[in-house]
Amino acid sequence: MTSSLETHFREKVIIEDDASSTVPDVTKILCVGRACLDIVQTCQQFPTEDSTQRSIDYRWQRGGNASNTCTVLSLLGQSCELLACLSADEHADFMQNDLCKYKIDYSHCPMIKGISCPIATIILSLNTGTRTIVYHNQNLPELTVKNFEQLNLAEYSWVHFEGRNIDEMLLMIQRIENYNESLNGSKNHMPITISVELENPRSGPRLLDLLSHTDVTFVAKDFAKKQGFNDMKEVIHTIGQDVRLRGVIICAWAEEGAIARTPCGVIVQSPAFPPHRVIDTLGAGDTFNAAVLYYLNKSKVEFMRKYKDEAACANDNNKLCEDTFDSSTVVRRDIKRNLNIENLKYNRTKFIDETILQRAIKFACYIAGAKVGSRGYDCLDKIFTHILQLDFSIL
């Protein structure tokens, strides 16, 4: 496979932090949403009503979409942070110790006293591969823009939102927009890319209003079905044509794989990579999303490095540049034409072309398929290492 893939997966991106750097070492992904405690029972078959049945396996694990996404990102080697309200009740130690175990920054999470942690009781059926969830929440507060204002946005390359508490989320997005505008095309800072997951059916069609505010939109299968869509192609050809859509749209559809549309309207697809045996489908969607975020964020950093290197060359009057180009004026003109740098602060999806997007969703389908064939998430770092040892034919 090509050396560009090795750049994405073998080389750890390191950007020197000195006076000559045009892009700081900022690659962290922030995930904003919900964390809860999952109590998982694995059964051979789903129990009948009013019956007693032994489970095959039992575990506690930290759950919630944003929380799960951080877990997978961390296992893939991506620096990440969770922003979610955490309960300071009897489960606080378990939740915080687990976040530390996976090296997830939670330093800005508000700690809420007097309200229990949300609990999800989950039954996994080995016979059918289903996961049935009973959710309980004693009204743990949602995040507010005041919580978000505690963040130093210069620390992040990417902010990913669960689509929930929409009014407050829009205020958070506006703060990111204001920050990006304040950069004013600065070479010394990387504009933040914004993504959102449309998953919560209770939020209804209003989630679609977010299309005009985000750079990358994930449309979950459950949400799409609640909106009347029958398959992922229908999603991409309908929502993908929505006039409010300003960036990339991605839709995964379990065993059918995934489909996506670039900002220029090119549609790409990937098959699913199912395991020999379905063991644990819990969090498969979060795993897919995290793998896409990982790949795209690495691609973004590589794009910015290319901009940095070419811009440095354009401003360098040494013999090497003189031998390579006619003049620095020509170089600057070519850089702007090729990378559209003058509009970079407005177009944060410039780095996502057809090839990058297709590779991202294919990589994510592979990682999600491997997760479904394993218990929990702890296998993913080993699976990722295995990918690095292959010839990259999967991509």
Side-chain angles (χ1 to χ4, degrees), residues 129-169:
T130 60
R131 87 285 185 274
T132 303
I133 303 173
V134 179
Y135 185 72
H136 177 72
N137 181 12
Q138 293 183 340
N139 295 320
L140 189 75
E142 296 279 1
L143 290 166
T144 68
V145 70
K146 289 185 177 180
N147 303 134
F148 196 79
E149 288 170 351
Q150 306 305 310
L151 304 172
N152 175 13
L153 293 180
E155 295 180 5
Y156 310 105
S157 167
W158 197 296
V159 178
H160 176 68
F161 291 93
E162 282 185 43
R164 57 186 310 119
N165 197 22
I166 297 174
D167 290 335
E168 290 294 319
M169 190 178 73

Side-chain angles (χ1 to χ4, degrees), residues 16 39 50 148-149 162 337 385:
E16 295 180 358
I39 301 175
D50 197 25
F148 196 79
E149 288 170 351
E162 282 185 43
R337 182 176 66 247
T385 300

Side-chain angles (χ1 to χ4, degrees), residues 32-187:
V32 182
R34 174 57 59 91
C36 68
L37 175 64
D38 288 349
I39 301 175
V40 186
Q41 297 270 12
T42 302
C43 301
Q44 190 61 48
Q45 61 186 20
F46 189 83
T48 58
E49 187 175 355
D50 197 25
S51 67
T52 300
Q53 178 176 308
R54 287 184 179 272
S55 64
I56 297 171
D57 187 29
Y58 163 83
R59 70 181 186 270
W60 279 21
Q61 69 181 31
R62 175 176 41 81
N65 290 21
S67 174
N68 291 340
T69 300
C70 278
T71 298
V72 178
L73 284 171
S74 183
L75 287 169
L76 295 178
Q78 170 64 57
S79 173
C80 61
E81 179 176 347
L82 173 67
L83 183 63
C85 289
L86 297 180
S87 171
D89 69 357
E90 65 271 20
H91 302 307
D93 286 345
F94 173 82
M95 297 289 282
Q96 293 178 49
N97 289 340
D98 200 60
L99 287 164
C100 291
K101 172 186 173 182
Y102 289 96
K103 301 178 182 178
I104 298 169
D105 183 357
Y106 65 98
S107 57
H108 293 99
C109 289
M111 302 299 297
I112 309 299
K113 297 181 179 180
I115 301 178
S116 296
C117 175
I119 303 290
T121 304
I122 300 147
I123 299 176
L124 303 178
S125 170
L126 292 182
N127 279 0
T128 60
T130 60
R131 87 285 185 274
T132 303
I133 303 173
V134 179
Y135 185 72
H136 177 72
N137 181 12
Q138 293 183 340
N139 295 320
L140 189 75
E142 296 279 1
L143 290 166
T144 68
V145 70
K146 289 185 177 180
N147 303 134
F148 196 79
E149 288 170 351
Q150 306 305 310
L151 304 172
N152 175 13
L153 293 180
E155 295 180 5
Y156 310 105
S157 167
W158 197 296
V159 178
H160 176 68
F161 291 93
E162 282 185 43
R164 57 186 310 119
N165 197 22
I166 297 174
D167 290 335
E168 290 294 319
M169 190 178 73
L170 286 172
L171 293 175
M172 298 177 199
I173 290 174
Q174 185 58 58
R175 185 166 185 269
I176 298 173
E177 296 285 8
N178 293 342
Y179 167 80
N180 284 337
E181 288 292 330
S182 73
L183 300 180
N184 195 29
S186 169
K187 298 176 183 178

Side-chain angles (χ1 to χ4, degrees), residues 19-22 185 187-188 306-322 325 327-333 335-336 341:
S20 64
S21 295
T22 56
K187 298 176 183 178
N188 297 315
K306 180 180 178 182
Y307 164 44
K308 183 195 84 166
D309 293 342
E310 294 195 10
C313 185
N315 293 320
D316 190 350
N317 293 320
N318 64 24
K319 187 69 167 58
L320 176 61
C321 284
E322 291 175 359
F325 303 101
S327 69
S328 59
T329 301
V330 173
V331 175
R332 291 189 186 95
R333 185 187 65 218
I335 291 172
K336 289 186 177 182
I341 293 303

